[in-house]
Amino acid sequence: MAEESLSTLLEPDVDAGFVVTPYVTDLVDHALAYLQADLPVHFCGPAGTGKTALALHVAAKLKRPIVLIHGDDEFKTPDLVGAEYGFRLKRLRDQYIHSVTKLEEDIVKRWTDNRLTVACKHGFTLVYDEFTRSKPEANNTLLSILEEKLLDLPAGVRQTTTSPFHPKFRAIFTSNPEEYAGIHKAQDALKDRLVTIHVGYFDADTETAITASRSGIAETTPKSSSTWCGRFALSASATNSLCPRIDQNAKV
């Protein structure tokens, strides 16, 4: 069966403007340690804490092409794995003997790999941003991928129903707290397969460094404003305790 790919790859380019402080370095080192042990990492935390930027930065550190997926409530399994899109028609007209005409037609369904399949087959780094915005049933295919390293495909796509799995495949997930609008509760079986790292609001030094980097002004100038913004963010999220911290959900 013919196969094609519907996937856009990102080059593993470490952003020169990415601000690195001891707080950020600690998060990155923890994530890389788990990924190098072939464990998927899940960054969980409130909006605006830099989870996506952190995930892409960690993925770039692995020096493998990056496949980026954004969670969507309309997602179904084919949007991750792939599906049969259209047909391929082959027609043969044989007149080797001029008085005899032989016509032969062959119609083959065209299978197209989607982003998750491409990442698994070629050993790319998957960044699944806000995966809980997708319905849990759409993410069921991740269960066998993360645990047994098997990618199930519909019968007839290949001679076998499992796709070859590259040993360098790695996965990074991000999500917002469950009380946010448009967020689905992830199945326990999937959460148990992830190493969850809670990403909170940055400390004052990190906020100051980011503000100075983006604005181009001296680092001492934005310190008071970043401290005030940090206190406001912390007070707004004081009641948020739905995301487990790293010591509460870590596989070793």
Side-chain angles (χ1 to χ4, degrees):
M1 181 167 293
E3 296 177 29
E4 295 182 2
S5 171
L6 285 176
S7 181
T8 301
L9 303 181
L10 302 178
E11 290 297 325
D13 183 21
V14 178
D15 184 6
F18 188 85
V19 175
V20 178
T21 64
Y23 174 84
V24 175
T25 300
D26 182 62
L27 289 174
V28 172
D29 289 345
H30 269 98
L32 286 174
Y34 288 117
L35 290 168
Q36 289 166 0
D38 199 10
L39 296 172
V41 169
H42 169 214
F43 291 117
C44 175
T49 53
K51 299 184 298 295
T52 303
L54 183 62
L56 291 172
H57 180 75
V58 171
K61 290 280 190 180
L62 296 175
K63 303 186 184 301
R64 299 286 297 173
I66 301 168
V67 175
L68 178 62
I69 301 177
H70 295 284
D72 192 318
D73 184 68
E74 299 297 324
F75 266 1
K76 296 182 179 179
T77 300
D79 296 305
L80 298 175
V81 175
E84 294 171 342
Y85 295 98
F87 299 86
R88 189 181 301 277
L89 172 63
K90 180 180 179 181
R91 179 175 296 163
L92 174 64
R93 182 184 180 92
D94 186 357
Q95 284 187 305
Y96 182 73
I97 301 176
H98 69 88
S99 60
V100 179
T101 300
K102 179 182 179 182
L103 296 177
E104 186 177 313
E105 289 187 354
D106 186 21
I107 299 178
V108 180
K109 291 182 179 180
R110 185 178 63 185
W111 173 268
T112 302
D113 288 335
N114 225 318
R115 288 167 287 183
L116 179 58
T117 303
V118 171
C120 293
K121 286 173 57 178
H122 301 285
F124 299 153
T125 301
L126 172 70
V127 177
Y128 197 166
D129 188 37
E130 296 192 14
F131 78 100
T132 50
R133 291 195 179 275
S134 303
K135 294 178 180 177
E137 53 266 29
N139 292 328
N140 280 340
T141 188
L142 291 167
L143 299 178
S144 61
I145 290 175
L146 299 180
E147 187 69 24
E148 290 84 15
K149 307 300 181 186
L150 293 176
L151 175 58
D152 293 328
L153 296 174
V157 174
R158 297 180 179 84
Q159 293 181 349
T160 62
T161 58
T162 57
S163 175
F165 207 96
H166 199 287
K168 290 189 177 180
F169 169 77
R170 297 294 184 272
I172 305 173
F173 299 79
T174 73
S175 72
N176 288 324
E178 292 177 3
E179 73 269 18
Y180 280 34
I183 300 298
H184 296 280
K185 180 177 174 60
Q187 55 267 58
D188 291 338
L190 179 55
K191 291 191 292 186
D192 288 344
R193 287 163 167 79
L194 307 177
V195 176
T196 298
I197 300 178
H198 180 77
V199 180
Y201 291 102
F202 298 123
D203 57 6
D205 291 338
T206 302
E207 289 182 350
T208 301
I210 293 174
T211 305
S213 173
R214 295 295 183 265
S215 63
I217 60 180
E219 191 164 315
T220 55
T221 303
K223 182 167 292 188
S224 58
S225 61
S226 65
T227 301
W228 182 85
C229 291
R231 290 176 178 174
F232 178 79
L234 287 174
S235 63
S237 62
T239 60
N240 176 32
S241 60
L242 293 179
C243 295
R245 296 187 177 276
I246 187 172
D247 56 350
Q248 295 176 321
N249 185 17
K251 293 182 180 180
V252 293

